[in-house]
Amino acid sequence: MPKTSAARSFPLLLVVACAFLFVSGYFVVRFPDVEGAEYASYGFNLLIALPAFVALVHQFGAARGAATLIAVSVFGYLIEGFGVATGVPYGEFYYGSAMGPTILGLVPYLLPLSYVPLVIGAVAMVSGAGSPLRRILLGGLLLVVIDGVLDPGAVALGFWIWPGGGPYYGVPLSNYGGWLISGLIASALVTLIGGRRIADQPLRPGLLDSLLVSMFLWLGVCIFSGLAFPAVLAAVLIAGIVRRRLQLTRSIAAPQASGARAHSG
């Protein structure tokens, strides 16, 4: 791949962010009790989420993009709050103090910053895979796989707690049934609100960037927490995201190159 093409596919800032967040995983694991860390996480999560949020607004347009972000955020608050209050659909769990202040003692205020970019990235990963129904199904399944990395790492950090434990690094299998339900609904929201802007138009590679840097953070967390299988799963997901980003970059670059050749001719 030419140097200029590689730079377009993976801008230097993205490479630096991935490396920084991987190393940050070490400090998050080794120094969990730094004073004020729960408040610093707001800025940290915002910086991680921004690439996906900005790319989504550019992809969908301002009004439709804002509507998507609000819809998925509200849905996230509702299903997580219901889950903490009732144990449905994830099983009995609650958020630890490391996630910062919560709404009504249930759900952290920063939830959309950590959840919505994952949904955006999952939908971007499976876009172009047939009908909207098929893309929604694949998006929901992919979010379950992503949570196979997140939940063990989050439990190790005390981000959320499962009082009854579970067979997968302390996480009950009911959690993944819940993630499938929530993932299908969230993927449907993005897919249906986006409409033709996500089905028929070339996708911006930036839609994947928040998911990519997030996976590097959790890869670091899993490695430095000794979570072998989630770490391998994170590495596999990173490889898939990188491959998909290259595809999206090429799909945008090809028409531009054709137009340039036609203009010069």
Side-chain angles (χ1 to χ4, degrees):
M1 179 182 294
K3 184 177 180 180
T4 54
S5 178
R8 285 195 303 269
S9 300
F10 291 96
L12 178 60
L13 182 59
L14 178 59
V15 174
V16 171
C18 289
F20 172 76
L21 285 166
F22 174 76
V23 174
S24 296
Y26 171 82
F27 292 96
V28 171
V29 171
R30 296 291 186 244
F31 306 100
D33 299 323
V34 175
E35 186 176 355
E38 66 272 21
Y39 296 99
S41 65
Y42 280 96
F44 207 60
N45 277 274
L46 178 59
L47 290 175
I48 292 175
L50 269 179
F53 288 0
V54 172
L56 186 78
V57 169
H58 281 295
Q59 183 76 37
F60 286 7
R64 197 180 293 244
T68 304
L69 294 177
I70 291 170
V72 179
S73 297
V74 170
F75 167 70
Y77 279 134
L78 291 175
I79 194 164
E80 290 288 310
F82 187 77
V84 173
T86 67
V88 178
Y90 306 103
E92 184 184 357
F93 81 105
Y94 60 91
Y95 285 93
S97 60
M99 289 292 286
T102 58
I103 299 174
L104 301 177
L106 297 174
V107 182
Y109 287 98
L110 61 70
L111 175 71
L113 297 180
S114 57
Y115 178 65
V116 178
L118 303 180
V119 178
I120 293 171
V123 172
M125 283 286 289
V126 303
S127 64
S131 68
L133 182 59
R134 186 168 187 268
R135 284 183 274 124
I136 289 168
L137 177 59
L138 290 175
L141 290 171
L142 181 56
L143 282 163
V144 174
V145 176
I146 290 169
D147 191 54
V149 176
L150 265 62
D151 241 282
V155 168
L157 295 175
F159 283 2
W160 46 86
I161 293 93
W162 298 93
Y168 182 67
Y169 297 95
V171 182
L173 298 182
S174 59
N175 171 67
Y176 296 99
W179 263 77
L180 179 58
I181 293 170
S182 63
L184 290 172
I185 296 172
S187 296
L189 288 172
V190 176
T191 301
L192 297 178
I193 296 175
R196 296 181 62 182
R197 294 172 188 256
I198 198 169
D200 301 334
Q201 296 182 12
L203 293 188
R204 294 175 177 269
L207 293 165
L208 294 169
D209 289 351
S210 293
L211 177 59
L212 179 62
V213 296
S214 179
M215 283 297 101
F216 268 98
L217 171 63
W218 289 106
L219 173 63
V221 168
C222 291
I223 288 176
F224 299 119
S225 297
L227 305 173
F229 182 78
V232 171
L233 191 57
V236 171
L237 285 167
I238 287 170
I241 297 166
V242 168
R243 180 174 179 272
R244 179 61 173 154
R245 197 183 196 285
L246 290 171
Q247 290 176 341
L248 294 182
T249 302
R250 285 194 293 265
S251 70
I252 290 176
Q256 292 175 346
S258 299
R261 287 195 296 268
H263 182 72
S264 62

